[in-house]
Amino acid sequence: VTRNSRPNIVLLMADDLGVGDVCCYGNNTVSTPNIDRLASEGVRLTQHLAAASVCTPSRTAFLTGRYPVRSGMASPFNLNRVLTWLGGSGGLPTNETTFAKLLQHRGYRTGLIGKWHQGLSCASRNDHCYHPLNHGFDYFYGLPFGLLSDCQASRTPELHRWLRIKLWMSTAVLGLVPVLLLVPKYARWFPVPWKVLLALGLLAFLFFLAWYSSYGFTRRWNCILMRNHDIVQQPLREGRVTSLLLKEALAFIDRYKRGPFLLFVSFLHVHTPLITKEKFVGHSKYGLYGDNVEEMDWMVGRILEALDRERLSNHTLVYFTSDNGGRLEVQEGGAQLGGSNGVYKGGKGMGGWEGGIRVPGIFRWPTVLEAGKVIDEPTSLMDIYPTLSYVGGGILPQDRVIDGRNLMPLLEGRVSHSDHEFLFHYCGVYLHTARWHQKDCATVWKVHYVTPKFSPDGADACYGSGICSCSGDVTYHDPPLLFDISRDPSEARPLSPDNEALFGSVVKKIEAAIKEHRRTLTPVPQQFSVFNTIWKPWLQPCCGTFPFCGCDKEDDILSTAW
């Protein structure tokens, strides 16, 4: 294989997998032989960083090679940090060019199997302006949204749980008012006209209807399975979705094995509700979460097996990662249902702490990349974009800032120093943290201007609210917290002017870089505006006649992929 012949590309992305959940990153309780095989046959990155600590913005950055704030895909609100409704009107803007579109123009057959979570429609139910097929994918089979606990009828709802409780309470209060007013009416203390009672009763009912029409049907509205532009299941039958996705991924490889193809497998694993096939339940030493990780690893194995069988392995670049760190706050009956972020502090949803953004990063391309190589340099999920453009012979858009860097020189060992001097870590639209990788040495400094307030006090996450805030309930640091990540990866020892002579000059250097970075930002429409994020009945995808939506077109007997 010469460097110039364009490889097939298989991208594997887990959902909420912590860097400490995989054996080759130091976990010794969960078995992940297939992901470990990728690492031993390829290059493993140990300082691989997501551009956001939650799904939607991180995936936007991955697809576009740009900080999500540049495309308006970062949220100013704590409540809606990711897209919350398929019937909302925000999503990945049509003027953003994904790596799929670049490679599609270069003759690649492109497919997305699994989770999208980048929006669906803008103005009418079926305009599908944000659909994967509008963003460079020839084929899509999966969830235009993603997995939520709400997708399993028996589970405690996950979407806006505290808000829902408040809405129920408000409804009860409003409903009680007309009932209580019957007392003075019948006791004849003072007259209460029937019109007033009816009006108050109607108000309570309309209030209930206004919020329950969306939140009461989250499973039906958000948990949908699609093939291209068609709804296949509404609501999703979660027990079968893993087999269907795997079957589709293997069929895509078989269909386009003459290449070149780009297959992006965006797993539903290991997001709650941890839907796991029976044969994997009780399989691991780490409860249901471990079982779910092991099932995902098995799926990775099936995909690698298909590449081997078709003799495509030497000619295929395979990449494995996660969209953000493991979520620490998910617990059920005292059992941890989220991942482990190893030695790193914090987790999903926390702006700058390493645990929320440091993720696995493995590249395998036999004959081109050295097997078993480990790289400790700072790299980003945004780097995939220019890297794929380079190996696929695409031309990077010249009319916009691309924040990612081509990783091939680093992966091939032609250079030893990552191209990123500065990386900025946002929480929504707020810059919380910045990292400086010195050009002349291996030192990596990290400065925190804002950190989340953990609850209860002394905890290691935000158990009180379920996810940490980006603004409001946070701590502002002036002077900022400074860590030397190269020597203190778990961010346990903050440096100060007393114990670090370089404190002042490092902070100054990073502040100048932030100023420079902010100069490159241009105002764009905010995809997470209040209007965009509310549920709109006229945008709700529907199989059938709205509001009577529902179907299952996958009822034919599944071929025995199991």
Side-chain angles (χ1 to χ4, degrees):
V1 181
T2 60
R3 255 279 359 275
N4 301 332
S5 52
R6 297 175 306 153
N8 299 310
I9 295 161
V10 175
L11 308 173
L12 307 168
M13 179 179 273
D15 195 356
D16 292 359
L17 179 78
V19 75
D21 288 331
V22 189
C23 292
C24 57
Y25 281 91
N27 186 315
N28 48 17
T29 54
V30 176
S31 162
T32 53
N34 297 296
I35 298 167
D36 299 345
R37 175 192 155 194
L38 273 181
S40 66
E41 293 174 2
V43 179
R44 185 169 64 89
L45 304 171
T46 63
Q47 198 177 158
H48 198 46
L49 302 154
S53 61
V54 289
C55 310
T56 303
S58 170
R59 289 161 185 269
T60 296
F62 176 67
L63 287 160
T64 62
R66 292 150 52 79
Y67 286 110
V69 69
R70 295 195 192 277
S71 48
M73 290 290 279
S75 172
F77 307 106
N78 288 320
L79 186 64
N80 294 321
R81 302 223 335 246
V82 298
L83 296 175
T84 41
W85 295 109
L86 265 184
S89 52
L92 181 61
T94 45
N95 61 356
E96 288 291 328
T97 307
T98 65
F99 55 66
K101 193 157 261 182
L102 285 185
L103 292 175
Q104 194 180 44
H105 288 320
R106 300 292 301 142
Y108 272 78
R109 302 312 296 262
T110 55
L112 167 62
I113 308 291
K115 168 176 174 166
W116 174 238
H117 213 181
Q118 298 291 307
L120 196 60
S121 294
C122 310
S124 65
R125 178 162 297 132
N126 292 318
D127 70 21
H128 290 181
C129 65
Y130 307 125
H131 189 284
L133 267 58
N134 223 11
H135 273 302
F137 290 99
D138 296 315
Y139 184 72
F140 168 60
Y141 183 91
L143 280 70
F145 193 77
L147 212 47
L148 282 169
S149 291
D150 308 62
C151 295
Q152 214 167 10
S154 56
R155 285 296 171 104
T156 315
E158 174 185 341
L159 184 68
H160 296 167
R161 195 166 148 217
W162 298 109
L163 177 65
R164 269 193 234 200
I165 292 167
K166 286 174 189 164
L167 289 167
W168 271 116
M169 285 160 72
S170 312
T171 308
V173 170
L174 280 173
L176 271 173
V177 173
V179 176
L180 292 173
L181 282 174
L182 288 171
V183 176
K185 186 176 173 68
Y186 285 115
R188 299 209 172 120
W189 296 340
F190 53 84
V192 183
W194 279 112
K195 274 185 186 168
V196 171
L197 290 173
L198 280 171
L200 287 167
L202 188 65
L203 179 74
F205 177 70
L206 288 174
F207 175 77
F208 173 70
L209 205 63
W211 71 265
Y212 197 77
S213 59
S214 55
Y215 287 108
F217 303 93
T218 308
R219 178 164 177 254
R220 190 163 295 272
W221 296 158
N222 277 349
C223 306
I224 291 177
L225 184 65
M226 287 179 94
R227 173 182 279 108
N228 294 330
H229 290 290
D230 303 322
I231 296 175
V232 177
Q233 282 181 351
Q234 183 175 18
L236 170 79
R237 286 176 55 187
E238 71 282 351
R240 294 176 52 209
V241 68
T242 299
S243 352
L244 292 171
L245 294 178
L246 180 61
K247 181 181 133 197
E248 289 284 341
L250 300 177
F252 184 88
I253 293 172
D254 186 55
R255 208 158 50 236
Y256 299 116
K257 57 191 171 197
R258 285 170 191 80
F261 65 78
L262 160 76
L263 171 61
F264 176 17
V265 181
S266 176
F267 293 106
L268 306 181
H269 299 63
V270 288
H271 198 290
T272 47
L274 304 176
I275 292 157
T276 311
K277 282 265 172 221
E278 254 169 62
K279 75 179 229 185
F280 284 98
V281 173
H283 203 265
S284 79
K285 300 181 213 160
Y286 198 70
L288 189 57
Y289 183 83
D291 300 344
N292 202 240
V293 172
E294 295 191 4
E295 182 181 57
M296 178 188 65
D297 179 81
W298 172 80
M299 290 171 80
V300 170
R302 291 295 307 270
I303 292 166
L304 298 181
E305 233 167 71
L307 295 175
D308 288 343
R309 196 172 49 247
E310 300 295 348
R311 302 216 166 95
L312 296 171
S313 297
N314 283 351
H315 196 53
T316 303
L317 172 61
V318 180
Y319 167 71
F320 177 83
T321 192
S322 171
D323 59 351
N324 45 249
R327 185 161 171 216
L328 303 178
E329 293 93 350
V330 261
Q331 294 181 312
E332 198 168 86
Q336 169 88 355
L337 291 184
S340 149
N341 298 314
V343 301
Y344 306 109
K345 182 169 182 163
K348 177 180 179 174
M350 304 180 200
W353 290 123
E354 209 72 352
I357 51 178
R358 202 183 272 227
V359 291
I362 301 169
F363 283 88
R364 185 191 80 172
W365 185 1
T367 70
V368 176
L369 301 181
E370 185 191 329
K373 189 179 171 79
V374 177
I375 294 175
D376 298 325
E377 295 285 295
T379 53
S380 165
L381 260 68
M382 298 186 287
D383 298 339
I384 305 315
Y385 186 93
T387 306
L388 296 189
S389 168
Y390 175 77
V391 301
I395 294 163
L396 285 179
Q398 299 301 306
D399 60 345
R400 64 199 66 183
V401 180
I402 303 290
D403 298 296
R405 300 284 182 265
N406 174 17
L407 289 175
M408 283 310 285
L410 189 66
L411 297 173
E412 290 182 295
R414 286 182 281 139
V415 300
S416 58
H417 205 75
S418 140
D419 231 0
H420 287 288
E421 188 177 5
F422 297 97
L423 280 165
F424 306 100
H425 305 300
Y426 281 86
C427 191
V429 295
Y430 308 98
L431 184 81
H432 276 198
T433 308
R435 165 183 327 246
W436 175 31
H437 174 39
Q438 280 189 250
K439 275 185 167 165
D440 47 359
C441 63
T443 307
V444 179
W445 303 99
K446 199 169 154 197
V447 158
H448 291 265
Y449 297 97
V450 188
T451 53
K453 274 188 187 154
F454 292 159
S455 60
D457 283 343
D460 59 351
C462 303
Y463 297 101
S465 56
I467 189 156
C468 293
S469 297
C470 288
S471 60
D473 198 19
V474 293
T475 307
Y476 294 91
H477 301 279
D478 189 10
L481 293 177
L482 175 68
F483 295 96
D484 176 350
I485 290 287
S486 32
R487 278 184 296 186
D488 174 25
S490 46
E491 297 170 284
R493 303 187 297 276
L495 303 171
S496 69
D498 307 330
N499 61 13
E500 178 51 73
L502 296 171
F503 187 93
S505 59
V506 169
V507 169
K508 210 182 229 151
K509 177 89 176 168
I510 291 176
E511 269 167 13
I514 291 172
K515 245 191 202 119
E516 195 52 46
H517 162 69
R518 288 204 163 123
R519 265 207 287 273
T520 68
L521 300 178
T522 47
V524 284
Q526 288 303 314
Q527 300 300 325
F528 285 86
S529 65
V530 174
F531 176 75
N532 278 343
T533 42
I534 52 175
W535 179 74
K536 303 173 184 65
W538 62 92
L539 289 186
Q540 176 58 48
C542 180
C543 191
T545 311
F546 186 84
F548 307 104
C549 309
C551 62
D552 182 0
K553 299 175 186 169
E554 281 291 5
D555 242 354
D556 50 340
I557 305 299
L558 246 179
S559 69
T560 49
W562 298 79

